[in-house]
Amino acid sequence: MSLEKMGQAAREAAYQLATVSTAQKNRALAAIADELEARSHQILAANEKDIAAGREAGLSEAMLDRLLLNPARLAGIVADVRKVISLDDPVGSEIDSRVLENGLRLSRRRVPIGVIGVIYEARPNVTIDIASLCLKTGNASILRGGRETFHSNLELVRVIQRALAASGLPEAAVQYIDNPDRALVGELLRLDRYVDMIIPRGGAGLHKMCKENSSIPVIIGGFGISHIFVDKSADLARALPLIDNAKVQRPSACNALDTLLVHEKVAPALLPQLVTLMNERKVALVATPEAMPLLAGAEQLREAGAEDFDTEWLSLTLGIKLVADVNEALAHMREHNAGHSDAILTNDLANAERFVNGAGSAAVYVNASTRFTDGGQFGLGAEVAVSTQMLHARGPMGLTELTSYKWVGLADYLSRA
């Protein structure tokens, strides 16, 4: 496999996509959705091979859940593609415009970024999410999935490329690195002649490796400890089901709750009720010493170690700590990798505002579950990643975040004085 040739083909495809109409891009997306439905049996059969191989390799249940495709999830992927069709195409839209004193009309117009390289781990739906969003915004993409999803991804990319060819668009608009050799990841990270942006989707190790080895700009995201702070003014009866949702609704997701911070004044009332609920859900609790007596009825309980509050659990485990106020909650979050999705449960407007302003997270919630940080939930269709950096894009990256802009100047044969 020659990444140099893949890069050249992707760059040429990006040139073609930059001038394709919205209608033609939407036809290609519709063809992808139709082809996904038509080949659902082959896709699910390929995924079964990956699941079987994962079980044999000893993958955790959380990882297997991230890997799994079933008819309902595949239907959701198809629905996401069709949702992207219905969204406005940002390419060609004007961000702003003004007329200078000399008569020059200046505007900023959205344009595709170019070629996007995406390195991701066990979620096969990412293959379709990235392809559909990149196509809608006129970007070519080079994908590198994890070996856990090898068969699933190959089948999905075949579907995409068949649909592209049928729609008159270049198959090289979406390419997949199907060689599992890890050295190819390093080559992709240095393919700056052709690739304009790298998006890693996976754990902290993958992001660190990309940052340290890439000669291409890297969007950092997808990792971060998610917190909920229960303020002393919170409605505890309504807080419990929300905490349950954030932790249990899909524990393997990156926006699932990792650490619950509880105001020490309400902890004696809240935590015994929480124990009952978490026992029903088979959630293991990891707590600081001062919280341990209030959790005595927990079926799975241990004292927190040095690294536990820096752990993204991705499983049925929940860290618990008591804090004195919102400031201590924010201090804990700053120390322990809060950058993804965090929430405060409160009826105090001042504390809510303090939390929103003080949290360094890409998505901050007041009286809502952290599980809403998602492109589909935000009305973006799908997402290519959840960015937790401060530059270019933050939170779920949808269509707008896959564009840059160019300055356009219009005049009547104007010369500079």
Side-chain angles (χ1 to χ4, degrees):
M1 171 175 290
S2 169
L3 284 192
E4 183 81 10
K5 290 182 179 178
M6 289 183 74
Q8 291 173 354
R11 175 59 68 196
E12 184 59 35
Y15 290 146
Q16 296 180 51
L17 290 176
T19 59
V20 167
S21 70
T22 300
Q24 191 172 357
K25 290 186 287 187
N26 284 343
R27 284 195 295 271
L29 290 168
I32 290 172
D34 292 343
E35 191 73 12
L36 285 169
E37 290 177 329
R39 298 187 65 84
S40 60
H41 292 299
Q42 294 93 323
I43 294 167
L44 294 178
N47 184 252
E48 286 175 5
K49 293 180 183 179
D50 290 328
I51 292 291
R55 290 195 186 280
E56 187 175 337
L59 294 184
S60 68
E61 287 302 316
M63 184 62 77
L64 289 171
D65 179 64
R66 292 162 77 89
L67 170 59
L68 177 68
L69 284 179
N70 55 33
R73 288 187 180 180
L74 188 55
I77 292 170
V78 172
D80 282 343
V81 175
R82 293 194 168 122
K83 175 66 175 177
V84 172
I85 295 172
S86 71
L87 298 175
D88 291 337
D89 183 355
V91 175
S93 64
E94 286 191 353
I95 300 172
D96 51 36
S97 67
R98 63 184 184 273
V99 179
L100 305 183
E101 290 184 3
N102 59 14
L104 180 66
R105 181 185 181 275
L106 271 181
S107 65
R108 288 187 296 160
R109 185 176 299 175
R110 291 201 179 278
V111 296
I113 289 173
V115 178
I116 312 295
V118 187
I119 305 165
Y120 53 107
E121 294 176 345
R123 289 187 186 275
N125 64 292
V126 173
T127 303
I128 301 298
D129 288 348
I130 293 164
S132 59
L133 290 175
C134 284
L135 286 170
K136 181 80 175 198
T137 49
N139 292 294
S141 55
I142 298 176
L143 312 179
R144 173 57 153 80
R147 69 174 66 234
E148 309 89 0
T149 54
F150 180 77
H151 297 96
S152 304
N153 285 335
L154 283 186
E155 192 60 41
L156 290 169
V157 171
R158 289 190 193 106
V159 165
I160 293 166
Q161 292 185 336
R162 270 194 297 268
L164 288 171
S167 305
L169 296 183
E171 293 183 35
V174 180
Q175 297 180 81
Y176 187 78
I177 301 173
D178 59 9
N179 186 325
D181 186 351
R182 293 180 66 88
L184 292 173
V185 174
E187 286 187 42
L188 176 60
L189 294 176
R190 294 185 294 276
L191 205 63
D192 50 76
R193 284 186 61 192
Y194 307 110
V195 179
D196 299 288
M197 187 168 72
I198 294 288
I199 301 176
R201 284 190 59 157
L206 174 62
H207 288 266
K208 183 173 185 292
M209 185 271 289
C210 290
K211 281 196 299 184
E212 292 178 351
N213 293 282
S214 181
S215 60
I216 305 164
V218 177
I219 293 287
I220 298 302
F223 173 80
I225 310 303
S226 291
H227 303 78
I228 288 179
F229 168 52
V230 183
D231 191 23
K232 65 180 180 181
S233 66
D235 183 332
L236 300 187
R238 300 175 74 191
L240 280 167
L242 191 155
I243 294 166
D244 179 54
N245 174 264
K247 179 67 255 180
V248 176
Q249 195 246 0
R250 192 169 182 187
S252 64
C254 58
N255 55 17
L257 176 62
D258 297 301
T259 299
L260 182 67
L261 303 172
V262 183
H263 196 293
E264 58 192 16
K265 294 290 180 62
V266 298
L270 176 70
L271 293 186
Q273 298 180 68
L274 181 71
V275 165
T276 301
L277 185 57
M278 293 297 99
N279 283 346
E280 293 175 5
R281 305 294 197 229
K282 308 301 182 186
V283 175
L285 303 181
V286 179
T288 52
E290 65 273 15
M292 294 286 284
L294 300 173
L295 301 168
E299 293 174 359
Q300 301 179 72
L301 174 66
R302 66 173 174 84
E303 188 171 319
E307 304 299 323
D308 283 325
F309 288 113
D310 294 315
T311 300
E312 187 180 21
W313 297 112
L314 303 175
S315 64
L316 290 173
T317 304
L318 176 63
I320 298 177
K321 180 180 179 179
L322 307 189
V323 293
D325 54 26
V326 65
N327 293 321
E328 187 177 338
L330 289 168
H332 173 94
M333 290 164 55
R334 285 194 296 271
E335 184 179 352
H336 295 285
N337 296 312
H340 196 294
S341 303
D342 299 286
I344 182 173
L345 308 185
T346 185
N347 288 328
D348 184 318
L349 289 176
N351 281 349
E353 193 67 14
R354 175 77 182 93
F355 187 89
V356 168
N357 292 336
S361 322
V364 186
Y365 300 94
V366 178
N367 298 330
S369 170
T370 57
R371 286 285 290 119
F372 284 102
T373 310
D374 173 84
Q377 292 291 317
F378 278 19
L380 305 177
E383 66 188 36
V384 293
V386 176
S387 170
T388 55
Q389 64 175 23
M390 297 299 288
L391 300 177
H392 171 58
R394 298 204 78 198
M397 291 182 62
L399 296 175
T400 301
E401 289 73 28
L402 286 175
T403 62
S404 182
Y405 63 84
K406 64 174 63 172
W407 289 94
V408 178
L410 300 177
D412 186 18
Y413 295 89
L414 179 69
S415 297
R416 179 173 172 174

